């Protein structure tokens, strides 16, 4: 069970889908928290940093590291320049506070997948952490263009459970025939169910670092989930499962959904629509479908339709590798 100490972000923390044994709200001296939680058993202490009085003074945060097991602390940071400065984050790492994020959705991920020093070492200034350096860390500075033709492709489910995670897993297997490819998921831990240790899980906070930490990659596929950093990608594919119930739910919850998808790359996944059906779908939704993928068997090593999809995205090496359709008629050599 976990405890929550909230203030500015009380409403957001209240929506977390985690087991909570105790929750308090307000501004507190660290000494007050010590009195409340001494001899109180908990798994993780999720702290809205604004709940600590004088939180912008790193010395007040240091009191947390002295009085609590830092491996049990998860800090939800605010967007102030001081808290996001290089000196401040470096001091957090120096104290052994490795689990911090600005993304509410990353908290559940950090509960199950706590950071080690390796995960936050990029924020640690070994030349001396100067808290007077108030220059904010630009977490979103990675351009997404990469070097040597690196392509970063994000995937987002538009309808619920449209299959981004499984599709990325299968696309990675197909691309590996001809490309150096990396697959990541953001703020979730669903990749573990594929029993493939090459699949990577990260948080929104560390996404840009994990992208740039793959210098040999030619392709990076990212299951973005609710991550807002789609600008890190060269392109984003929006997945729609075109079942009647799924589409009705989408429109009832957001009548402007397709308006926002104008000029986006829409892919139908787990689709049973015929060519005529797709034309009707495009006309009724006032959108354009880039590709339609039917139900595919994730236990199969190879599905030709996925090669066709990847070739449509421009991965032409799949043709010459023999895994795709190099020619329309094989009789013409």
């Amino acid at each position: 069970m976990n405890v929550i100490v909230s203030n500015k972000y009380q409403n957001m923390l209240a929506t977390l889908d985690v087991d909570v044994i105790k929750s308090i709200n307000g501004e507190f001296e660290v000494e007050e928290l010590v009195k409340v939680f001494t001899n109180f058993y908990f798994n993780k202490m999720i702290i809205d940093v604004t709940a600590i009085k004088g939180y912008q003074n790193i010395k007040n945060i240091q009191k947390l590291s002295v009085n609590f097991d830092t491996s049990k602390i998860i800090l939800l940071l605010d967007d102030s320049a001081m808290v996001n400065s290089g000196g401040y984050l470096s001091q957090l790492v120096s104290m052994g506070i490795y689990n911090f994020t600005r993304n509410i959705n990353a908290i559940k991920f950090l509960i199950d997948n706590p950071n080690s020093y390796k995960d936050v070492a990029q924020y640690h200034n070994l030349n001396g952490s100067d808290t007077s350096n108030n220059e904010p860390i630009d977490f979103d500075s990675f351009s997404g263009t990469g070097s040597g033709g690196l392509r970063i492709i994000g995937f987002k489910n538009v309808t619920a459970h449209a299959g981004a995670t499984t599709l990325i897993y299968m696309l990675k297997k197909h691309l590996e025939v001809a490309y150096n490819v990396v697959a990541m998921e953001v703020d979730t831990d669903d990749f573990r169910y594929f029993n493939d240790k090459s699949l990577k899980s990260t948080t929104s906070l560390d996404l840009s670092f994990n992208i740039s930490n793959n210098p040999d990659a030619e392709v990076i596929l990212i299951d973005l989930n609710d991550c807002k950093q789609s600008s890190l990608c060269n392109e984003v594919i929006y997945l729609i499962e075109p079942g009647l119930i799924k589409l009705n739910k989408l429109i009832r919850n957001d009548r402007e959904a397709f308006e926002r998808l104008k000029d986006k790359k829409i892919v139908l996944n787990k689709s049973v629509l015929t060519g005529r059906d797709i034309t009707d779908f495009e006309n009724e939704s006032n959108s354009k479908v880039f590709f339609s993928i039917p139900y595919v068997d994730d236990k199969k090593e190879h599905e030709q339709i996925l090669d066709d999809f990847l070739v449509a995205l421009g991965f032409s090496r799949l043709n010459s590798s023999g895994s795709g359709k190099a020619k329309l008629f094989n009789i013409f050599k």
Side-chain angles (χ1 to χ4, degrees), residues 43-266:
N43 178 33
K44 300 292 183 184
M45 178 182 285
I46 303 161
I47 304 176
D48 170 355
V49 73
T50 68
I52 305 298
K53 285 184 180 178
Y55 67 93
Q56 292 190 329
N57 184 341
I58 195 67
K59 291 182 179 179
N60 291 318
I61 304 300
Q62 185 180 28
K63 295 176 185 177
L64 285 173
S65 68
V66 172
N67 290 282
F68 293 101
D69 180 351
T70 55
S71 68
K72 293 187 174 185
I73 294 174
I74 298 177
L75 275 183
L76 177 61
L77 306 179
D78 70 352
D79 56 2
S80 65
M82 172 61 82
V83 168
N84 291 281
S85 69
Y88 196 99
L89 296 180
S90 182
Q91 288 280 32
L92 290 181
V93 176
S94 293
M95 296 170 195
I97 299 176
Y98 300 157
N99 296 299
F100 49 85
T101 181
R102 289 193 313 235
N103 185 346
I104 191 77
N105 297 312
I107 291 176
K108 187 173 182 180
F109 177 84
L110 288 173
I111 290 174
D112 297 325
N113 305 272
N115 286 332
S116 65
Y117 176 76
K118 181 181 178 181
D119 297 310
V120 294
Q122 71 270 24
Y123 305 124
H124 198 193
N125 179 8
L126 294 176
N127 295 319
S129 299
D130 180 6
T131 56
S132 66
N133 172 16
N134 295 333
E135 197 171 312
I137 293 286
D138 184 2
F139 295 108
D140 305 331
S141 61
F142 189 78
S143 66
T145 57
S147 59
L150 170 65
R151 286 185 67 185
I152 303 170
I153 305 177
F155 292 76
K156 272 187 172 292
N157 289 332
V158 177
T159 54
H161 311 295
T165 305
T166 300
L167 180 61
I168 288 173
Y169 166 70
M170 297 185 72
L171 293 177
K172 177 178 180 290
K173 290 200 299 183
H174 282 63
L175 282 167
E176 283 173 336
V177 174
Y179 295 86
N180 188 337
V181 56
V182 173
M184 299 181 187
E185 62 178 352
V186 184
D187 298 332
T188 58
D189 192 25
D190 292 332
F191 275 166
R192 62 178 169 173
Y193 300 116
F194 293 112
N195 297 318
D196 183 343
K197 293 183 178 179
S198 70
L199 302 172
K200 300 183 178 183
S201 299
T202 185
T203 65
S204 297
L205 183 67
D206 293 324
L207 178 58
S208 61
F209 170 76
N210 280 295
I211 290 174
S212 58
N213 201 36
N214 290 280
D216 298 326
E218 296 175 277
V219 186
I220 297 180
L221 307 175
I222 304 176
D223 186 354
L224 290 166
N225 293 297
D226 294 325
C227 176
K228 306 300 182 185
Q229 301 184 61
S230 57
S231 60
L232 296 176
C233 305
N234 301 117
E235 57 195 301
V236 177
I237 291 169
Y238 295 85
L239 296 179
I240 293 176
E241 183 181 346
L244 185 61
I245 293 177
K246 293 289 183 76
L247 289 173
N248 280 339
K249 282 185 177 180
L250 173 65
I251 297 303
R252 287 196 177 192
N253 291 330
D254 183 4
R255 298 198 66 82
E256 305 300 320
F258 282 97
E259 186 65 27
R260 281 193 292 276
L261 288 173
K262 273 190 176 179
D263 303 320
K264 305 292 187 185
K265 192 164 284 185
I266 297 174

